[in-house]
Amino acid sequence: MRKQASVETTAEAYLELLAARGVEYLFANAGTDFAPVIEAYARRGAQGQARPRPITVPHEVVAVGMAHGYAMVTGRPQAVMVHVIVGTANALGGIMNAARSNVPMLFTAGRNPITEAGAVGSRDRPIHWAQESFDQAAMVREFVKWDYELRTLSDLETVVDRALAITQAEPQGPVYLTLPREVLAERREAFEYSDPARAPRPSAVAPDAGAVAEAARLLAAAQNPLVVTKALGRDPEAVPALLALAEILALPVFEQSHTHLNFPQDHPLHGGFDSAPVLGLADLILVAESDAPWYPHLKAPGTETKIVQVGVDPLFSRYPIRGFHADVALAGAPRLAFKALAEAASPLVDRGLVAERRQRWEREHGRQSEARAARARAVAADTPIDMAWLSRCVGDLTDERTILVNEYDFDASQAVFTRPGSYFAASPAGGLGWGLGAALGAKLAAPDKTVICCVGDGAYIFGAPTAAHFVSRASDIPVLFVIFNNRAWNAVKRAVQTHAPDGWAVRTGTMPLTELDPAPDYELVCRASGGHAERVEDPAQLPEALERARRVVHDEKRQALLNVICKKP
Ligand SMILES: Cc1ncc(C[n+]2csc(CCOP(=O)(O)OP(=O)(O)O)c2C)c(N)n1
């Protein structure tokens, strides 16, 4: 159907189109390039016309994190707009995270006015000369699937629809669109477009039947198969599909450095979070959406071990190097691959072998659960607080209405996540500063859920906390933040210990460039934006402090923060 909208400028037509395409939010960090967009918002607001809800986000790392968080919960891309080259630069780490996590996002930036004079929107500020670069998109091109510059209104529908279609096509990832001020400011009276969109939206891809049959034969013949997965749960439907396959074959599933909930943690076939101890025993490994299923420098499966890889892009084509072998690689939607594998493998299984295997892994599952509980109990009274005890207490706070966003220190093995979409961890790209924004975006996407954001003190600082707490209050997005405060960058310390176990740093007990002491009173940062915040030092007080904070978030709809003082490494 063709639709007509009354507009004054291209910027207004752009907002009309984004709203029509289901983009609910524009996470924005504005500059002089935004003038026509702000004008368009004001007009549409005054006249009650559709537009994505504008959210002012005073740091780009939070803006991109919010779009990331929203999309990881809903699967739907939102729009981000930042200020020309400098805003793009500030957002870049977040774009890398989104790219490596296959998150769809319409990432946009204003573009310095092209003309020095003579057009509506021409240069009129001192920064309009220095803020132009030869190729603005060059900065992000390696980490986006597509980039383009809007040239005129007559292209608007094609450009926006193409951007939205490409970002959502698998493998998903952000796209980048630059919006010159003259183009946005062009005077218009009407804008006509198709509703719904008619851009091609490629369907999910199922792997080739021959390859499926070969993988099923290998799986059924294996004595000691196992599954390693990291990000399968990006597609919530892939989780029950893997579960069905695991049941048929009694496959233990290891979540290795997992970024999503991939398999219910309470299922007897959940194998734990580290496959390294059993890697050498496996005669088949099914690698499901895992970029680095093991670390060959430390430990690798035997050379005879069969490898089956399943993923939307089992080559991880955008990674310069990735040498993990595969005897069969099933490319396409993993949910379809597992369904097909289950059908093909079912008639081939040796029931006696499967029953014996299941018993063995069930026992191992029980042993691991008990060991983790014992570990938490053993450190429950330690002061400063042990991160295992903190993780346990946070885990105990979760229920079926919780989404947990983890940037680093929360230990998921101390909790029991069972539903797809209930747990998200930082991107394998590791651009710190993701967590606070991602949690805010997740809460926007799921207002009825309690969103708990666990961050290290380092990750908290990287997340532009003043901006994040501002957004939480200004846009009514209550999140419970928990800082795992060890007053250090322990990840960096650990790297030194692994790199030079007998070296100078370890022997002398000095590690320059890794300390975050003296630590700020982080609780004051949250209070400055009207949040409830406490510093917690007593491990016995932790459960109550968490419950108080949860109630503030849930009942008062206000953000809360616990600054939990943990053992210093
Ligand atoms: C943008 C960015 N800068 C630096 C790093 C390197 N880095 C990885 S982990 C880490 C420390 C994180 O500190 P914290 O959140 O306190 O967790 P901890 O390591 O103490 O457990 C750093 C600095 C990074 N990943 N991203």
Side-chain angles (χ1 to χ4, degrees), residues 387 407-409 430-432 455-460 462 484 486 488-492 494 516:
M387 285 189 183
E407 191 167 20
Y408 271 111
D409 287 318
L432 280 175
V455 281
D457 47 329
Y460 180 73
F462 275 102
F484 286 54
N486 60 6
W489 288 337
N490 193 26
V492 184
R494 275 199 306 267
L516 291 179

Side-chain angles (χ1 to χ4, degrees), residues 58-370:
H59 196 291
E60 293 81 356
V61 78
V62 180
V64 175
M66 288 183 75
H68 186 143
Y70 192 97
M72 80 191 178
V73 171
T74 61
R76 294 200 305 274
Q78 301 301 304
V80 176
M81 185 167 175
V82 297
H83 177 53
V84 299
I85 52 174
V86 286
T88 301
N90 274 1
L92 189 47
I95 293 299
M96 291 175 183
N97 286 336
R100 295 303 196 220
S101 284
N102 296 118
V103 165
M105 186 188 300
L106 177 58
F107 177 48
T108 73
R111 192 217 184 277
N112 199 59
I114 298 163
T115 52
E116 290 190 296
V120 184
S122 287
R123 301 179 182 201
D124 56 8
R125 316 289 305 170
I127 36 99
H128 282 161
W129 278 262
Q131 275 190 345
E132 188 174 32
S133 68
F134 288 105
D135 183 358
Q136 182 166 324
M139 220 185 321
V140 288
R141 191 162 290 131
E142 187 171 346
F143 296 96
V144 295
K145 291 177 67 181
W146 169 95
D147 68 87
Y148 198 68
E149 183 156 295
L150 184 65
R151 310 251 163 84
T152 166
L153 178 80
S154 51
D155 276 352
L156 180 70
E157 184 181 3
T158 302
V159 168
V160 168
D161 283 353
R162 185 162 173 72
L164 290 172
I166 289 177
T167 194
Q168 289 176 91
E170 293 289 359
Q172 297 184 331
V175 292
Y176 184 58
L177 177 64
T178 50
L179 303 161
R181 200 163 82 153
E182 293 95 328
V183 177
L184 290 176
E186 265 175 336
R187 308 295 297 180
R188 300 287 169 181
E189 280 175 6
F191 170 52
E192 196 187 300
Y193 62 99
S194 294
D195 193 21
R198 301 202 60 204
R201 291 285 171 98
S203 65
V205 174
D208 167 65
V212 169
E214 174 62 4
R217 194 186 61 71
L218 292 175
L219 272 166
Q223 301 288 311
N224 219 356
L226 58 85
V227 179
V228 177
T229 178
K230 176 184 276 186
L232 182 73
R234 182 168 70 82
D235 174 7
E237 288 179 39
V239 176
L242 173 60
L243 184 64
L245 180 70
E247 290 274 9
I248 290 169
L249 288 154
L251 300 173
V253 177
F254 290 81
E255 294 192 286
Q256 187 89 31
S257 304
H258 63 310
T259 53
H260 297 72
L261 180 290
N262 303 295
F263 200 79
Q265 282 180 232
D266 60 351
H267 193 282
L269 287 169
H270 193 289
F273 302 89
D274 183 14
S275 65
V278 291
L279 215 48
L281 306 174
D283 57 353
L284 182 144
I285 302 177
L286 196 164
V287 176
E289 290 294 13
S290 179
D291 57 351
W294 52 85
Y295 317 116
H297 182 55
L298 303 179
K299 187 151 190 186
T303 47
E304 297 304 306
T305 305
K306 300 285 182 208
I307 312 283
V308 176
Q309 295 205 36
V310 175
V312 291
D313 173 19
L315 273 177
F316 289 80
S317 329
R318 299 301 303 154
Y319 287 31
I321 276 287
R322 181 180 182 273
F324 298 96
H325 300 156
D327 296 283
V328 184
L330 300 181
R335 67 170 187 278
L336 301 180
F338 289 132
K339 191 162 174 285
L341 270 178
E343 278 163 20
S346 197
L348 308 177
V349 295
D350 173 340
R351 312 237 169 254
L353 180 72
V354 166
E356 179 278 320
R357 196 153 66 210
R358 178 157 182 138
Q359 274 186 4
R360 190 155 43 90
W361 285 112
E362 276 193 25
R363 277 198 301 279
E364 172 60 13
H365 178 84
R367 191 196 62 75
Q368 284 190 20
S369 305
E370 275 166 33

